[in-house]
Structures are given as C-alpha cells and as structure tokens.
Amino acid sequence: MCGIVGAVSHRDVVADLVEGLRRLEYRGYDSAGVAILNDGNIQNRRAVGKVAKLADLIKEQPLTGTTGVAHTRWATHGVPAERNAHPHRSGEDVVVVHNGIIENHAELRDSLKADGYTFQSETDTEVIAHLLARHLKSGLSLEASVKAAREELVGAYGMAAISPHEPDVMVVARAGSPLVIGIADDEHLIASDVFALLPITQRFIFLEEGDVAVLSRKTIAIFDSENNAVVRDEKFSEVSAENTEKGHYEHYMLKEIYEQPAVIAETLEGRIYKGRLLEESFGHTATELFDKTKNIHIIACGTSYHAGLVAKYWLEEIGIPCHVEVASEYRYRQVVVPEGTLFISVSQSGETADTLAALRAGKGAKYLGCLTVCNVPESSLVRESDVAVMTRAGKEIGVASTKAFTTQLVALRLITIALARRQGMNQDQEKALVEELHALPRQVEVVLELADEIKAMAASFADKQNALFLGRGTFYPIAMEGALKLKEISYIHAEAYAAGELKHGPLALVDEIMPVVCALPDDPLLEKVLSNLQEVRARGGELFLFSDKKVKIPLDKYQDLKLDDICPSTAPIVYSIPLQLLSYFVALEKGTDVDQPRNLAKSVTVE
Ligand code: G6P
C-alpha cells in the first residue's frame, strides 16, 4: 500500500508532487521518490525515510519539470533502501511508479535478464519498467506498451508510466489498487487517493478495474479491460483541502479523537428523527435485504473487525445469528452460508485488499446480498457492494483508527435497530434505543473533558513492557480494540482477554508490574468482572479502570476514571474514547511517532 502521484502540466509540478506524497504518507513511509522528464532525460531523487527527507534532498539538489511521477513506499519486495525506492526506471526509456504486488515478477525478471536488462533493485516494480522498455524498443507507443504489459502482469496494482520519448504523456493502469485522475486547468494529475490532489482540484475521475488511461495536459482517453474506449463520469469531491489539516492539534490522532462528537452526529444525521430510525435513508435495496435477513456474516480487518465483533453481540441479542471473521482467513476457506444470510463488510478505507477479496468471494457465494459499512464513498468496497451504509467520519489520517471505529459502531447500531424492527421490537423500545444514539455525541464530549485525568493515568505506563486488557460481553471486543491501539502506537505488548478466560492462562503473567486495563460499565456482567479483577489484585496486578459512577469497586488498590450517565446500548462506543486517549498519552510519554507508527500503514491494499 504505497502512494502514487503524477502530473502532466504546463508548469513546474515538483512541489505539488512532493505535497501530494506528504498527503499520501499514511499509505507508507519507508522511502519516497520523484522522477521528472527534463529535456529528453529522466531526472529522479529518492530518499529513505519520510517524505520530509525527500523534500530536503530536493532542496539540496533542485529538480524542475512539467511531467512527473512520485511515490511513497511501504516495503514489500526488498528492504527500505534508496535502490528499492520508486520511481523505477529502465535506462532513459521509461520510469514508473507502482502500488500493489506483481505476483509473476520472478519469471518476468528471468525473461528480462535473458534479454540483457540489468536490475538495480529487489522490487517487483522494476520488472514493469523493463517490460515497458522492451515494448517501447519494439516500436510500440507508451500507451500500447502499457496495454501489452497489462496482459503480461499478474497481480494487483495501480501504476503510472512516463517516457522521455513522449514527454507530454502519462499512461496509468488500474488493476486492483485504487487510482484517480484529477482534472485542473491545462493539466491532469493522478493519485492513489483524491486526498493527495485536494489542494489542486476537487474534480476527479475514478478509474475502474482493468482501465488504462492516457493523459496529456488537455486530453484524457480511457480504455476498459477489453480495450474499448470508455467514458468515466467526472465527480466533484465535497472534501476540501482545509478540512484535512491538523489545525491546532499536535497530532492527527488527537484531532480525530476530538472530532468524534461531531462525526457521530454526522453519521446519525438524516437517519434518526423523533425517536425513530429513518430506514428509508439506507435506500430501497437495503430495506428489501433486511426483510429477508435471517443470518449475518461480518468480514473485516483490524479495528473494523473489532467493530464487527461488537455488532455480533448486538445482533445475537435480537435473535439474528451472526458470524464475524477476519477477511484474510475468510477469503481462503470454505465458508458455509446458511439460507438468508447477508454479507456485511466493514472498512474505513474501502480498499483493504483482504476485505475486498472477501467481498468478491462473497459475491460468488449464496448470500442474499452484500452490504458495506464504509467511510470512503468512492472506494472499491462501496462501488462493488449492493448497499453502502456510509460512516461520515471524514478523512482519517492517523494510522491508528479512532473516529472511523466509533462511527462504524454507530452505523452497525442503526443496522441492528432496522433488523430489530423485523424481530418484533415495538415502537417504545425503538424510541428508547434511538434516544440513546441521539444522546451519544454529548456523552462523548463529556468523556473528552476527562483527558487530563487520563493523561495522568498514562504516566504510569511509560516504563511498561506489557499490558493486559480485560472485558466481558461487548466490552471484550472493546478491550481488544484498546489493546490494539496501545500496541500500534506505543509499541507496548498488549493483549486482550475475555475476563472469564483470565484464569485459563494469562493469570500466570500477572505480577506487581503488570498493568491490567478494564472497563466497568454498570451492566449485568459487572459482578463477574469484579471477581476477575479480584483475581488480578490477589497476584498484585496494577489495575487501571474506567467505571460507571454508580459502580462500587470493592478492590483494595486501583486507579479509576469515573464515567457518568452512559446508556447501555451505546456504552461500548463511549468507553472506547478513554481507551483511545490512554494509548495516545502513553505514546506521547514514550515519544513514539503517533500518527505514523513504525511498520504500519493506514490503507493496506496488499495482501
Ligand atoms: C490497517 C489500519 C487499521 C485498520 C485496518 C483495516 O491495519 O492501520 O487502522 O483498522 O487496516 O482497514 P480498513 O480501511 O479496511 O478499515
């Protein structure tokens, strides 16, 4: 999941390419590079590390040009090193950037080596450059070369190629990885994500699977996988560049945590009114699917998977059997699909390779239909699903997901209410649940006001190597999400357990230096959880609790943060907030890179 940007223009585009990379850094940040056509030559600059390193290099060794491509990398084939950084070139013939994986790169490499091509890197991308050069040398145009290469390349990719032989042209291809064309005055741009281009334009064309596009300053020609000339609609993005800046916050993650009251309200907007769910807002197809739904399969990865696990408790509570699975497992096994099963994918980006592959597998199975809970309207998951219930979290940039998670839970709650209607829920019950959702933004606001207390708690974690998160019921997946947040951004080894499982193994880990984190809402499982916490205290474990004000805690020693007036059905959403803040402040204490933690990326478009 690398990020690519490119431009064909009348003006110098280097600064915009570098800015585009900076905005795509969430996709990978091992190394970065830019290549420009200049007077019949290819000039490039590449640097290991973040885009800022590349920007420094360009300051020292300036570069100018009107046609160029650029890339920020998340290493798959070959270590992060300058030789493996994109763009990759084949002599003075062609230079390419690529996002994705070429599965048959080894055999292509052998055939190219046999033809005398020498390789400078260990990447799969370099085979594309030499493959294109071989076609160019045989007399094909850049367009025909990319089309020919499309037939030879196996794998998922988005790519852009430029050549000094045709200096005013860029050819791009999309096969499994997102690619968008930006339209501006007397210039065309491309990128893996509209976000890269928002400072320049809000006019976009989204390429479809298998498309090749040939761009000049003034023209765009698009060809589908059968090589038919096609027209793809231009779309106007409502997101503006200003909305996606950090503002006065130190990190995107913190900004995104604080945006939660607003984006939760946004996700509810037009979907609830006067104590009722406005089911029509999901569209006609959704209503028809819900009428027939007897079972649900939820497929997702990472944080989105945790949202699915919470929904399982909600759905089974209303009598709908629900199976939740990580996409990377689901896609490669034989799945039994009972009659009347609805497939639900959950994804912030809508581009996660495993989730997308699972959806495609699901479409071949006997599901009623495919619904996605997703945050990006133009994403592949949205386009390929029968119904999309959009979370309206806005762009999430911090790699550790926060507002996307809580809005996914809100969307899944709305779906649960729609299905509960079919399970015999009466109007009063519906009103009560909808009112709880309505109260949610304010409750989240109140929890955010406790940030200083959570910060004080976090200070105790700075020297920890391990942490345990416990929970029962919906608070078990919330504990999983809390542990994931902590490990992602603070690099502390954190595990979550169903509190009842403690004595079946993890209790052996508990001693005086083991922090144990637990949410204690005022719910029917409270006494059970308290017994588990007694077991922790008996071994000297250090307790960090987030509890309801009404809860009396009969333990000898603990640190506690009190939450007030939290509604039962939305409590998992509210209790996620202090766990997010805890991880954030621990990471601050430790001085790690909060928004771009090591080895991770925001949008995982490779397997
Ligand atoms: C990556 C991100 C996570 C995210 C997961 C699934 O691992 O770092 O934050 O939860 O992908 O992504 P999705 O976009 O499908 O929700």
Side-chain angles (χ1 to χ4, degrees):
M1 48 292 174
C2 309
I4 62 182
V5 197
V8 259
S9 178
H10 59 281
R11 63 187 177 96
D12 178 22
V13 291
V14 173
D16 281 336
L17 292 179
V18 174
E19 171 60 14
L21 290 187
R22 196 187 63 75
R23 298 173 70 84
L24 286 185
E25 221 172 16
Y26 72 89
R27 301 179 67 86
Y29 33 81
D30 293 335
S31 52
V34 57
I36 282 287
L37 299 182
N38 195 309
D39 254 354
N41 293 313
I42 298 169
Q43 292 188 352
N44 65 356
R45 304 283 182 270
R46 301 184 298 181
V48 175
K50 295 202 173 186
V51 174
K53 289 265 167 41
L54 175 69
D56 290 346
L57 179 68
I58 292 173
K59 247 185 231 148
E60 282 163 29
Q61 301 169 28
L63 200 63
T64 54
T66 57
T67 301
V69 288
H71 187 272
T72 176
R73 180 167 187 251
W74 184 79
T76 55
H77 296 68
V79 295
E82 195 193 325
R83 67 177 185 285
N84 289 329
H86 299 218
H88 288 286
R89 62 199 283 177
S90 185
E92 286 300 332
D93 288 316
V94 67
V95 60
V96 298
V97 287
H98 157 238
N99 164 37
I101 288 183
I102 305 301
E103 285 170 8
N104 60 340
H105 71 98
E107 60 187 85
L108 290 171
R109 184 180 275 255
D110 289 345
S111 125
L112 288 157
K113 275 185 178 166
D115 278 356
Y117 288 93
T118 51
F119 282 77
Q120 314 295 326
S121 76
E122 292 101 61
T123 64
D124 51 343
T125 306
E126 198 180 347
V127 301
I128 307 178
H130 295 313
L131 206 55
L132 293 179
R134 185 155 73 181
H135 288 306
L136 287 166
K137 286 207 175 92
S138 77
L140 295 185
S141 65
L142 185 61
E143 171 185 337
S145 300
V146 171
K147 286 177 176 169
R150 174 172 63 174
E151 303 306 317
E152 295 158 296
L153 295 169
V154 176
Y157 57 86
M159 58 162 278
I162 52 176
S163 163
H165 306 310
E166 298 171 50
D168 302 318
V169 173
M170 176 163 50
V171 183
V172 301
R174 175 192 166 139
S177 298
L179 204 63
V180 60
I181 299 173
I183 303 165
D185 276 351
D186 202 15
E187 63 183 6
H188 287 124
L189 305 113
I190 61 102
S192 308
D193 183 335
V194 294
F195 186 58
L197 307 178
L198 285 175
I200 305 168
T201 185
Q202 284 172 273
R203 295 168 61 201
F204 297 103
I205 291 175
F206 295 88
L207 291 183
E208 295 197 2
E209 284 302 301
D211 282 356
V212 164
V214 184
L215 312 176
S216 71
R217 276 160 56 181
K218 304 233 179 264
T219 60
I220 301 175
I222 304 177
F223 303 89
D224 69 10
S225 53
E226 309 283 300
N227 206 21
N228 302 307
V230 286
V231 176
R232 305 275 181 230
D233 293 343
E234 183 183 321
K235 307 246 163 67
F236 184 82
S237 171
E238 298 297 335
V239 186
S240 72
E242 296 75 56
N243 288 346
T244 51
E245 294 303 333
K246 229 180 326 194
H248 64 277
Y249 291 96
E250 199 177 334
H251 294 102
Y252 279 110
M253 183 182 177
L254 190 64
K255 173 181 177 244
E256 288 158 4
I257 289 173
Y258 275 88
E259 279 172 351
Q260 289 176 110
V263 296
I264 288 172
E266 187 77 15
T267 302
L268 291 170
E269 170 83 41
R271 289 169 169 166
I272 55 171
Y273 185 63
K274 290 195 173 166
R276 275 191 64 73
L277 170 76
L278 301 176
E279 205 183 291
E280 320 79 73
S281 62
F282 296 138
H284 184 57
T285 317
T287 308
E288 276 180 8
L289 284 176
F290 292 156
D291 284 344
K292 295 186 208 140
T293 299
K294 293 193 201 130
N295 274 287
I296 289 188
H297 285 177
I298 299 182
I299 310 302
C301 301
T303 288
S304 302
Y305 167 66
H306 295 156
L309 288 175
V310 174
K312 177 185 169 77
Y313 285 88
W314 288 338
L315 289 163
E316 298 218 333
E317 204 171 271
I318 60 163
I320 297 189
C322 176
H323 168 74
V324 186
E325 191 167 350
V326 288
S328 53
E329 285 301 311
Y330 173 92
R331 64 181 288 193
Y332 289 120
R333 72 176 188 89
Q334 201 60 46
V335 176
V336 177
V337 182
E339 201 206 317
T341 304
L342 176 65
F343 178 101
I344 300 186
S345 59
V346 184
S347 173
Q348 186 283 126
S349 62
E351 300 294 351
T352 302
D354 283 323
T355 312
L356 200 49
L359 167 68
R360 289 174 185 157
K363 285 173 98 170
K366 288 197 177 117
Y367 284 102
L368 281 178
C370 298
L371 180 151
T372 187
V373 171
C374 189
N375 195 39
V376 180
E378 307 84 10
S379 64
S380 305
L381 271 179
V382 170
R383 280 185 281 122
E384 295 185 30
S385 297
D386 302 311
V387 175
V389 176
M390 299 311 302
T391 49
R392 299 171 187 150
K395 183 82 188 170
E396 191 179 65
I397 294 169
V399 165
S401 185
T402 52
K403 61 176 181 170
F405 176 65
T406 46
T407 52
Q408 283 169 350
L409 289 175
V410 169
L412 289 164
R413 218 31 242 152
L414 292 169
I415 292 170
T416 306
I417 295 175
L419 291 166
R421 277 183 173 174
R422 279 125 179 119
Q423 299 290 103
M425 177 182 64
N426 65 35
Q427 277 189 19
D428 287 344
Q429 289 165 324
E430 175 168 337
K431 188 161 187 262
L433 294 179
V434 169
E435 289 305 333
E436 293 195 356
L437 278 171
H438 187 65
L440 190 56
R442 178 64 197 139
Q443 289 177 351
V444 172
E445 252 167 34
V446 172
V447 176
L448 289 171
E449 285 162 17
L450 304 173
D452 285 345
E453 288 170 58
I454 300 170
K455 191 173 184 178
M457 214 185 229
S460 318
F461 278 76
D463 59 345
K464 300 290 183 199
Q465 304 290 328
N466 301 289
L468 277 179
F469 286 67
L470 301 179
R472 280 182 186 251
T474 47
F475 291 88
Y476 171 37
I478 294 302
M480 293 167 82
E481 177 57 12
L484 177 65
K485 287 289 83 85
L486 189 68
K487 72 182 112 179
E488 275 180 316
I489 61 170
S490 73
Y491 315 149
I492 292 176
H493 171 228
E495 293 296 335
Y497 278 91
E501 275 292 292
L502 187 68
K503 53 191 166 298
H504 298 295
L507 197 54
L509 299 171
V510 175
D511 58 14
E512 293 74 27
I513 54 168
M514 173 64 91
V516 176
V517 182
C518 187
L520 279 178
D522 185 24
D523 72 9
L525 293 169
L526 175 67
E527 290 307 322
K528 303 281 173 207
V529 182
L530 283 172
S531 308
N532 301 131
L533 298 182
Q534 294 281 16
E535 293 158 10
V536 171
R537 274 308 301 145
R539 276 89 193 163
E542 225 182 326
L543 289 175
F544 296 88
L545 307 177
F546 299 95
S547 68
D548 191 289
K549 214 172 175 180
K550 294 190 273 303
V551 168
K552 302 246 174 315
I553 303 175
L555 300 164
D556 59 339
K557 199 172 160 212
Y558 54 87
Q559 289 195 45
D560 183 27
L561 185 90
K562 289 283 178 207
L563 275 59
D564 202 2
D565 273 342
I566 310 300
C567 310
S569 72
T570 51
I573 306 176
V574 183
Y575 278 84
S576 303
I577 314 292
L579 295 177
Q580 295 169 351
L581 283 169
L582 180 70
S583 296
Y584 174 77
F585 289 124
V586 174
L588 267 196
E589 283 277 336
K590 297 201 71 176
T592 51
D593 188 339
V594 171
D595 285 332
Q596 294 176 338
R598 68 184 181 201
N599 306 341
L600 301 180
K602 183 77 187 154
S603 178
V604 184
T605 54
V606 295
E607 237 192 292

